[in-house]
Amino acid sequence: MEARTNASQAARQLFEEHGAAVYRFACVLLRHHQDAEDVVQETFLKLLKHLTDGGNADNLRGWLFTVAAHAARDRQRRRLRWIPWAPTHDLGVGPPSLPDEDGSLRSLRSALRRLPVRDRLLLTLRSEGLSYREIAAAAKIRPASVGRLLARAVDRWDRAWRETPAISAKTPRHEVL
Amino acid sequence: MRCLNDSEIQAAADNEAADAILQHVRTCRRCSERVRDRETIMAGIRQAIQTPLSMPDALSRRIGQALADGSSQGATRLRDSAPTGRTSRRAFWSAVAVAAATLVVIFLIIPMMKGPTTVSAAEILAASANRLAQPDTQGVEFLEYELTLDGAPRGMMPDHANGTYRVKQIIDHAKAGHYR
């Protein structure tokens, strides 16, 4: 009973510390906010179970992103079986408010949006501060390949960004993220 | 040491490179410039991705409550690893019901569907034409149909009244077009 209470407290604390980062990570990766919410919920409920079962508590931040990455990948695979949905099909569905509505970062995000899924995953994990070893576990790739794949992803992102037309603050929000 | 390739430059910019690579970066002007450029790009990516995106309140409350309960009972509860006794009993009776429904279909409904049915004159003529078109039939063939008219159109069939008629066809397959 005490272990359960401790696990619950630890999970809540980790949720307060990393919940927003995991949510942001899932949003960037999936570009679908309901799916992103599902990923966050699934990740932290698994964390609670992991802690309750006495799982390894070292580097739980890396553990969280690994679980979230796998959950996101499951959803992406499931979504591939359906006709791809574009937010423009339903203007009522839009991403949440972004803090830089002047457009200064929107072209960067727009370039990111055009990258393949694995590139987005690698860049997002690295941006969240995960080490190469943690990225390898989350992306299910060999640790020795992380640097090479990350370098290619950065090059592709850089090219995409240079090809992105200038985005003004008037560009519809659903075009971004 | 030779100059660095792209993945080594990336690793150096990410502080993940081996000591020998970092040593080279310190001594090679070209490689150190490439590392700096890469660091600038990575900073841009970080800035774009690490936007402070606030979590929806409803989601935050829901997960917070589930974690506080400590019982894995959120809006989407984690599935139990093993089925309970009630679940397995329900599964058994579901299987029995499906089997019973299948037997009813096989032994009652399908035989009923194969029973005598009323067919139209057009269907009889079509069946007859099909028979005539079959080239492998031999000898003299005798076909007999029972035709029931119910609501015969007076304009088209003035000399026919409603009732049951017997239609007979004789086809001599030995001579082409020899039938009546």
Side-chain angles (χ1 to χ4, degrees):
Chain A
M1 187 64 189
E2 191 184 346
R4 203 180 188 110
T5 309
N6 290 341
S8 172
Q9 278 178 352
R12 264 185 296 166
Q13 191 177 339
L14 285 161
F15 178 63
E16 282 172 21
E17 287 172 13
H18 306 298
V22 173
Y23 176 64
R24 180 176 58 211
F25 168 73
C27 281
V28 172
L29 217 54
L30 293 166
R31 304 201 314 259
H32 187 285
H33 294 281
Q34 280 172 338
D35 278 356
E37 289 187 12
D38 287 348
V39 164
V40 177
Q41 180 164 309
E42 185 180 324
T43 301
F44 281 94
L45 290 178
K46 279 187 177 171
L47 171 71
L48 177 62
K49 190 169 189 304
H50 176 75
L51 295 175
T52 307
D53 294 347
N56 188 355
D58 294 339
N59 188 20
L60 284 172
R61 181 178 162 83
W63 186 95
L64 283 171
F65 279 100
T66 301
V67 172
H70 294 172
R73 183 170 24 213
D74 288 346
R75 272 161 184 77
Q76 277 163 339
R77 282 183 184 151
R78 226 175 292 156
R79 218 194 285 164
L80 284 178
R81 297 177 201 151
W82 296 79
I83 298 169
W85 175 262
T88 46
H89 294 155
D90 184 354
L91 295 177
V93 178
S97 299
L98 299 171
D100 63 323
E101 291 304 309
D102 61 345
S104 60
L105 293 176
R106 298 173 81 188
S107 56
L108 296 174
R109 281 196 213 99
S110 180
L112 187 71
R113 194 164 61 93
R114 302 213 308 270
L115 294 182
V117 174
R118 189 170 70 178
D119 287 356
R120 278 210 307 274
L121 174 64
L122 295 176
L123 292 173
T124 312
L125 289 170
R126 183 63 204 161
S127 296
E128 294 293 349
L130 268 68
S131 69
Y132 278 18
R133 195 168 50 81
E134 291 165 338
I135 291 173
K140 288 188 176 172
I141 54 178
R142 288 188 306 117
S145 305
V146 174
R148 179 173 50 85
L149 295 174
L150 204 48
R152 283 186 196 165
V154 171
D155 288 340
R156 275 194 281 263
W157 177 84
D158 195 37
R159 269 201 303 277
W161 176 63
R162 288 176 201 285
E163 290 165 4
T164 302
I167 294 178
S168 74
K170 288 181 181 174
T171 306
R173 282 221 326 266
H174 58 259
E175 293 287 334
V176 187
L177 196 67
Chain B
M1 187 184 177
R2 57 163 176 76
C3 277
L4 305 179
N5 61 29
D6 285 349
S7 59
E8 289 167 337
I9 292 287
Q10 181 69 44
D14 287 335
N15 284 324
E16 292 268 355
D19 288 344
I21 290 174
L22 294 176
Q23 179 65 31
H24 175 79
V25 172
R26 279 193 283 273
T27 55
C28 175
R29 189 176 163 190
R30 180 170 166 269
C31 287
S32 96
E33 275 177 13
R34 286 182 68 201
V35 169
R36 264 202 306 278
D37 287 348
R38 186 57 56 140
E39 284 171 346
T40 306
I41 294 174
M42 291 305 289
I45 294 174
R46 256 195 306 278
Q47 197 186 5
I49 291 175
Q50 288 197 328
T51 302
L53 191 63
S54 57
M55 199 184 305
D57 287 342
L59 174 68
S60 186
R61 269 199 308 275
R62 195 166 68 229
I63 297 176
Q65 186 61 49
L67 296 178
D69 289 348
S71 55
S72 305
Q73 289 179 342
T76 55
R77 185 173 44 186
L78 290 178
R79 199 174 297 149
D80 294 331
S81 54
T84 61
R86 180 178 289 182
T87 308
S88 56
R89 268 199 305 280
R90 197 181 299 156
F92 171 77
W93 284 115
S94 296
V96 168
V98 169
T102 307
L103 291 174
V104 166
V105 168
I106 290 172
F107 291 109
L108 293 178
I109 296 178
I110 292 178
M112 282 168 65
M113 289 170 71
K114 287 182 177 172
T117 53
T118 305
V119 292
S120 68
E123 285 175 292
I124 293 170
L125 293 173
S128 153
N130 285 340
R131 281 303 188 95
L132 285 171
Q134 287 172 359
D136 56 348
T137 312
Q138 293 181 343
V140 176
E141 188 178 14
F142 177 70
L143 300 170
E144 188 173 7
Y145 306 104
E146 199 170 82
L147 175 64
T148 301
L149 287 179
D150 184 9
R154 292 280 160 227
M156 293 170 66
M157 305 168 74
D159 52 343
H160 284 75
N162 286 344
T164 302
Y165 298 86
R166 195 165 289 275
V167 180
K168 294 178 181 175
Q169 285 185 317
I170 300 172
I171 305 159
D172 185 358
H173 291 288
K175 296 177 184 174
H178 193 204
Y179 60 91
R180 64 175 181 169

